Structure formats: structure tokens, C-alpha cells
Amino acid sequence: MNRKFEVVVIGGGIIGCSIAYYLAKEKIDVAVLDSQKVGGKSTSAAAGMLGAHSEYKEFEHLYPFVRSSQLLYKELVHEIKDKSGIDIELKEGGILKLVYSEEEKRALQPILAHSTVEWMTASDVIEKVPVNASIIGAAYLKEDVHVTPTSACNGLSKTAQLNGASIFEYTEVAEIKKQDGHYVIHTAKGEFEACYVVVASGVWSNRFFQQLGLTNQIIPVKGECLAVINEGKPLDHTLFYNQNYIVQRNNNKLVIGATQKWNDWDERPTIGGIEEIIQKAKEMMPSITEMKIDSYWAGFRPMTFDGYPFIGAHPHGDNLFFAAGHQRNGILMAPATGKMIKDMIVGNQVDKTWVQAFQVDRRNKISL
Ligand SMILES: Cc1cc2nc3c(=O)[nH]c(=O)nc-3n(C[C@H](O)[C@H](O)[C@H](O)COP(=O)(O)OP(=O)(O)OC[C@H]3O[C@@H](n4cnc5c(N)ncnc54)[C@H](O)[C@@H]3O)c2cc1C
């Protein structure tokens, strides 16, 4: 078995798989090592919304980055399907951000100014979706479509493999060491060698920051979700209010999410958490009460000190990169992150604003 690669990516969530996808497309010899199954951790917990506009408040300065990532999905859906046969289940319809008062409507003005967003009156919304009649309308974010995160991750990893990448599952990395000008990656299944290393281990990246002399920290923001069976008409649009949402999957399931519990490292959902999201979902769509429960789960959003991911080189350079901490938008940002790391490795020019905003040692350095 070959254990020498040009690039080794540690972590096979959507971020690691996207990096492998873009590197393999350039014929770069890349391997992904994951301690479990590809896409099995935070990625599998996500709803899959590509909310470049719905998360606009968080990304005002970096809208071009998240928007470029959202647009890359339009290419990926075909590239992945043509090469691997995997459907990433990109579902059109976008998000209806429900509005219950004039004050809430005023707060949405910056998003409503986008040509891709339009205001919908209450009667227009109620005609389309079975929502609570007390709304005054909704911001219709038609470009904020969604994918099925595990299908997107599997599609990226499978296509990367078909382009020459190697994927090693159940291969936990213990340590990264520099030796004779290259990296030796110590794993539970022996050593790997690489010229470049990319740490993309989501909320579990902390051990590598520490090992590599950095104080960066990522904490989990635990999110609990529920899936129910919708036996009626499929929901044509995602319903969104105050960080809670109801998303129609490509089958008859609706995903209801999600709680936000800071620094909670327990991966099990709680009764209180599920109760909370059911209550919020009922306020948006009262008929949900009649639906049957399919499943429930929890996952960790990898959160950094300022909410932006770390995407870039180790402050000492040294062919060492990080791509972690994508919080509640890792599915959205995966393509642009993969492309940015690929561009940094091959030496292509990368937008300076993005480099500065995401740099690993930015604490106290920048004011966005
Ligand atoms: C409830 C919930 C809903 C969400 N909804 C959305 C959404 O609608 N849209 C959106 O854009 N984002 C959403 N997110 C956020 C998104 O899921 C994350 O930002 C994204 O999955 C992070 O991807 P990642 O690859 O960095 O992490 P992960 O998917 O966690 O991948 C990291 C990988 O690293 C591996 N790993 C860890 N340690 C090691 C080691 N030592 N050696 C080898 N491998 C290791 C793990 O096994 C794992 O597979 C949601 C998250 C949650 C929890």
C-alpha cells in the first residue's frame, strides 16, 4: 500500500473531502485520513442549507466568499454526477425567512436589497406553504437551496478517488511530525508521509493546533435535530425563523433543527433539546404536530473565537495548512474552502480579503 503522498488531509468531513476533490482534479497525489467513516461526524448532522443570504448578517463582509461557494455547487452537482453517479440531491426552492412584525422586516432590509431576494406577502406565502397565519410576510431567498450533506460529502470523496485520491477510513491520526524536510503522520494504522499536510478535523482540530505550537481553539456548538415523515404535499421551500428551520429532504422526510448549546461535548440529543425544536417548528408550521417521528440526532458545529473558519497556512508556513471551524455553514463553505486550499498549495492567487479574514493567527490582528 502506498503511504507517501504529496498532500495528506487529516479529516474526511465535507471540508477534507472538498479539499481532496479540488486537489485530485489538478492531478495532485492526495490522501484523506479519517478516524471513522467519511462524512460521519458534524457533516452527517447538518441540514444542508446553502444559506449565503440567510446567514448574511454573519457574512456581510465575506458575502462574495460564501456566494462563490454557493455557486460552485451548481457546477459540482453535474461534475459529481457525471463522474461518480452520485446525486448530491441539490433541491431548489430556497428559504422563506418568516416575518412576524414590521421590526423584523426592517432588520431584513440589507438582505432584501439583494437582487436574488424578494419580499413575499403573507397571503402569497400562505398559498404556497402551510405556515402560521400570524406572519406578515417572508423574505424569499430563492438562491439558498439545499443539498443532502452526506450525499455531497460522499460525492466529493468518491469523485476525488476516481480522480486518483486515496481515502483511508478508520485511520486515526495521533501526531504530525516534521522530519528531513517532509511530514510523517503517525496513525493507529502506521505511518504516512507527505510534503504538505492539511488539518481539516473539524471540532477535533484542537489537538493538532496544540501539537503544532498554536493556541487556536475550536469549541463545539451542539445542535439537536429531528426528522419527521411528511405524508402530505412536499414542502416546496425551507421555512426559517430565528435560527430554527424545517427542511424538506428529497424523500418524504422533513428535517427540523436545531438547538445551539455552547461547549457541550456530549453527542447525545436530549429530551429538552428535542422538545425545544418541536415547539419552535410548531410555531412556524402548526400541522407538524400530526407528523410521525422518523429519527433524531445531535452534532457539533465547529466554532472559532470570531465565528469565521481558520483557512490558511501555519504562521511559519512550512507547507502546513488548516481548514477548520466552519461553524453553522460548513456545508455552504466547503467548495470555496477546498478551492482556496488547493489554490494556496499550487501557488495560485487567492483573494486577499479572504486570506486575511480566515488566517490562522488573526487574533488581535484584524478588524473586519
Ligand atoms: C445540527 C447541525 C445543523 C447544521 N446545518 C448546516 C446547514 O444547514 N448548512 C451548513 O452549511 N452547515 C450546517 N452545519 C454545519 C456543518 O455541519 C459543519 O460546519 C461541517 O460539517 C464541518 O465540516 P468538517 O469537515 O469541518 O467537520 P466534520 O464533518 O466533523 O469532519 C471532521 C472529520 O475529522 C475526523 N477526525 C477527527 N479527528 C481525527 C483524527 N485525529 N484523525 C483522523 N480524522 C479525524 C472526524 O472523524 C470527522 O470525520 C450544521 C451543523 C449541525 C451540528
Side-chain angles (χ1 to χ4, degrees), residues 1 16 25 32 42 47 54 67 79 109 111 119 132 146 198 200 222 262 342 368:
M1 179 179 36
K25 209 174 155 189
V32 176
S42 306
S54 88
R67 176 72 171 144
E79 287 175 16
Q109 285 313 316
I111 321 179
W119 175 252
N132 191 326
H146 64 270
V198 186
K222 176 175 167 178
W262 288 68
K342 180 270 291 177
L368 283 170

Side-chain angles (χ1 to χ4, degrees), residues 76-96:
L76 284 176
V77 66
H78 301 295
E79 287 175 16
I80 290 173
K81 181 81 191 198
D82 291 350
K83 187 85 184 180
S84 70
I86 293 176
D87 181 3
I88 67 170
E89 298 173 31
L90 192 143
K91 196 169 181 310
E92 302 287 346
I95 292 176
L96 285 171

Side-chain angles (χ1 to χ4, degrees), residues 22-71:
Y22 282 102
L23 288 170
K25 209 174 155 189
E26 297 286 313
K27 302 275 166 262
I28 291 171
D29 190 22
V30 53
V32 176
L33 314 181
D34 197 287
S35 47
Q36 302 189 16
K37 261 188 90 59
V38 154
K41 299 304 280 182
S42 306
T43 295
S44 64
M49 290 171 286
L50 308 179
H53 303 84
S54 88
E55 303 283 286
Y56 183 71
K57 211 168 148 206
E58 286 81 353
F59 286 114
E60 194 177 349
H61 302 281
L62 293 162
Y63 174 74
F65 180 79
V66 289
R67 176 72 171 144
S68 76
S69 205
Q70 187 182 54
L71 291 172

